[in-house]
Amino acid sequence: MKQDPIADAIAAMIPAARTELAELVAFRSVADPDVSPLGESERAARWIAAALRAEEFTDVSVVDMSDGRQSVYGFLPGPPGTPTVLLYAHFDVQPALDESAWTSPPFTLTERDGRWYGRGAADCKGAVLMHLLALRALRAHGGPPVNVKVIVEGSEEQGTGGLEDYARAHPGLLAADAVLVADAGNVRCGVPTVTAALRGITMLRVRVETLRGDLHSGQFGGPAPDALLALLKILDSLTGDDGATRVRGLSADGTWPGVDYPEADFRRDAGLLDGVRLTGTGSVGDRLWARPSVGVMGIDCPPVAGATPTLHATARAAISLRLPPGQDAVTATSLLTAHIRRHTPWGARVSVEPLGQGEPFRADTSGAAYRAMEEAMAVAYPGQAVRLGGFGGGIPLCNALADLYPRAEILLIGLSEPEANIHAVDESVSVDELRRLATAEAHFLRTYAAAKSRCGA
Ligand SMILES: [Zn+2]
């Protein structure tokens, strides 16, 4: 095997990285004051700022955002005339959910079978270590060959938009030639992936009213319209018999050009029960990343325990609609609203209220940074070709950066492969993926710098 001093340096730094990630995971930096005190986020932010200062970053600052959260910014100047690369991660995490359901305590990083378990280990505190490992390996071998900016966000999971607001208000701050967003993941452990598509989303609240008050169903049932049944008819109209999303005017026949997701793998990852069929049409990739997908987030209705034979005067539901790249959330919201109104039966009164939306994202994969990442991944994952993947969650900052810096190339990689169980109980990061992706990142910075100096010359 070829010698790779960068890979060797990173492998040697893994034990120290484990200690550091354990410190970072120990901060309960859930960006929700009801779940976790604000001080935990502040301590995580200060930890990251100190780590950047130790790497000789200049201009390190913990910046207050419009949503009351903080992000950490740092700049590390490279050789004069070299391009600028922005490295992104976030330090806020999802709540631990049911702590007693975890195999080991969620905020105590614990090793089992080549993985480190803990909330945020993969999403996305591990990525902070991934960036640090790449930069440290480069520092040990001649220094980073580009100008490096780092931004580590404190409220990504809440979707409150603090960093997007800040970036728009300070358009110079995050300006870069290439952006490495380390908040996605390989399609499978050991399969190098650059994520090229992110789903968008729109969410609505629907309220149906039919009666002035609830009624005895023995006395009035039959002629008197039940609001809950009306709501169920509306919800039923959103999918066909095959379970495919069916919203009038919203196309649902897109095809996914990237790597497909084998059905058997998908069934296993999703935990489908034996005998239960997949919903929708097309390949699994089409359904996930090229077509819309509707969901019911919740319904307000009486619980089964204590339920009585009553006609319901009102009913409410919250609906989500995931959107593939190419569809826009504003148009989808109005199509979904019109669909709901059209499918409301019996002249029932219906009101539809938007609950928030995020645009889908598609990366331009034709530039120098993508070529550089292909070369870098080939070093870190010998014998494997890079796949273009899709990713379920939106990362609103990607759209903000694409608007602000239309010439910047945006690449999404990360540690959140399917086994990482992000947002769930027993989240973990693969130590091997951390080592390989940090190696790929370091090689990417070198290869990209070389490619840019060739086209500059
Ligand atoms: Zn994340």
Side-chain angles (χ1 to χ4, degrees):
M1 202 164 138
K2 228 168 58 189
Q3 289 289 325
D4 180 3
I6 294 280
D8 293 345
I10 287 170
M13 290 186 286
I14 289 290
R18 178 186 165 173
T19 307
E20 291 179 275
L21 185 56
E23 291 173 17
L24 202 46
V25 164
F27 301 119
R28 295 172 175 248
S29 48
V30 181
D32 178 349
D34 293 340
V35 178
S36 195
L38 197 55
E40 294 284 307
S41 293
E42 288 174 348
R43 287 162 65 208
R46 282 202 301 270
W47 189 99
I48 293 162
L52 295 179
R53 286 194 190 98
E55 297 309 309
E56 294 170 5
F57 273 63
T58 58
D59 296 344
V60 176
S61 50
V62 175
V63 190
D64 292 322
M65 304 283 123
S66 60
D67 58 4
R69 297 286 149 176
Q70 298 175 318
S71 295
V72 186
Y73 170 81
F75 178 66
L76 179 62
T82 53
T84 299
V85 177
L86 173 66
L87 308 178
Y88 169 91
H90 62 84
F91 67 80
D92 65 313
V93 295
Q94 287 282 327
L97 307 169
D98 179 3
E99 294 203 19
S100 66
W102 284 67
T103 307
S104 50
F107 297 100
T108 304
L109 196 73
T110 305
E111 182 160 355
R112 287 195 298 278
D113 300 330
R115 303 189 70 94
W116 295 338
Y117 287 81
R119 173 56 88 226
D123 179 21
C124 187
K125 289 172 171 173
V128 175
L129 267 301
M130 179 179 117
H131 292 321
L132 288 170
L133 286 169
L135 294 172
R136 288 169 185 166
L138 289 170
R139 191 149 68 102
H141 292 89
V146 294
N147 299 297
V148 176
K149 290 180 178 177
V150 167
I151 188 80
V152 187
E153 183 176 11
S155 56
E156 194 276 338
E157 301 290 5
Q158 288 290 58
T160 40
L163 182 56
E164 290 103 87
D165 288 350
Y166 196 86
R168 289 185 208 278
H170 303 82
L173 186 77
L174 302 183
D177 300 284
V179 183
L180 202 56
V181 176
D183 196 20
N186 289 345
V187 290
R188 191 150 292 286
C189 253
V191 179
T193 308
V194 183
T195 297
L198 296 174
R199 288 174 131 179
I201 191 170
T202 184
M203 294 172 287
L204 297 176
R205 185 182 292 144
V206 182
R207 179 185 173 86
V208 180
E209 292 173 282
T210 52
L211 303 164
R212 275 196 285 274
D214 291 352
L215 295 174
H216 189 285
S217 69
Q219 214 172 354
F220 295 98
D226 181 293
L228 181 55
L229 284 176
L231 175 66
L232 294 175
K233 283 193 171 291
I234 294 170
L235 298 178
D236 181 56
S237 75
L238 295 168
T239 54
D241 287 344
D242 56 7
T245 295
R246 200 174 57 182
V247 174
R248 166 108 62 112
L250 191 68
S251 70
D253 57 359
T255 54
W256 169 244
V259 60
D260 195 30
Y261 199 150
E263 188 170 326
D265 292 352
F266 180 82
R267 292 188 69 91
R268 191 180 57 241
D269 294 339
L272 252 80
L273 302 180
D274 286 344
V276 178
R277 291 191 297 277
L278 300 187
T279 46
T281 56
S283 71
V284 173
D286 295 342
R287 299 179 218 198
L288 283 172
W289 303 310
R291 298 179 186 190
S293 159
V294 78
V296 179
M297 298 192 290
I299 301 181
D300 284 346
C301 57
V304 172
T308 55
T310 299
L311 299 176
H312 307 290
T314 66
R316 289 201 313 170
I319 299 174
S320 66
L321 179 63
R322 295 278 180 185
L323 298 165
Q327 295 186 342
D328 80 273
V330 176
T331 306
T333 304
S334 55
L335 288 171
L336 180 57
T337 304
H339 179 103
I340 289 166
R341 292 190 186 288
R342 196 179 300 115
H343 286 85
T344 302
W346 318 320
R349 293 186 189 169
V350 65
S351 64
V352 183
E353 182 194 342
L355 288 177
Q357 59 191 38
E359 296 293 343
F361 174 78
R362 174 156 38 207
D364 175 2
T365 59
S366 63
Y370 270 82
R371 299 294 82 74
M373 185 55 83
E374 282 171 359
E375 279 188 44
M377 289 284 208
V379 177
Y381 293 85
Q384 289 270 12
V386 168
R387 321 293 165 90
L388 284 186
F391 201 64
I395 304 174
L397 184 71
C398 289
N399 290 301
L401 294 176
D403 290 347
L404 281 168
Y405 318 119
R407 294 166 63 89
E409 288 185 73
I410 300 176
L411 298 95
L412 291 112
I413 62 171
L415 299 159
S416 297
E417 33 74 34
E419 288 171 58
N421 257 7
I422 61 165
H423 295 202
V425 163
D426 280 349
E427 175 179 350
S428 66
V429 67
S430 154
V431 183
D432 209 42
E433 293 278 88
L434 174 62
R435 180 178 60 75
R436 285 178 191 270
L437 285 170
T439 303
E441 179 170 334
H443 281 289
F444 162 75
L445 293 173
R446 275 193 170 175
T447 309
Y448 179 63
K452 291 300 264 189
S453 79
R454 274 200 304 278
C455 46

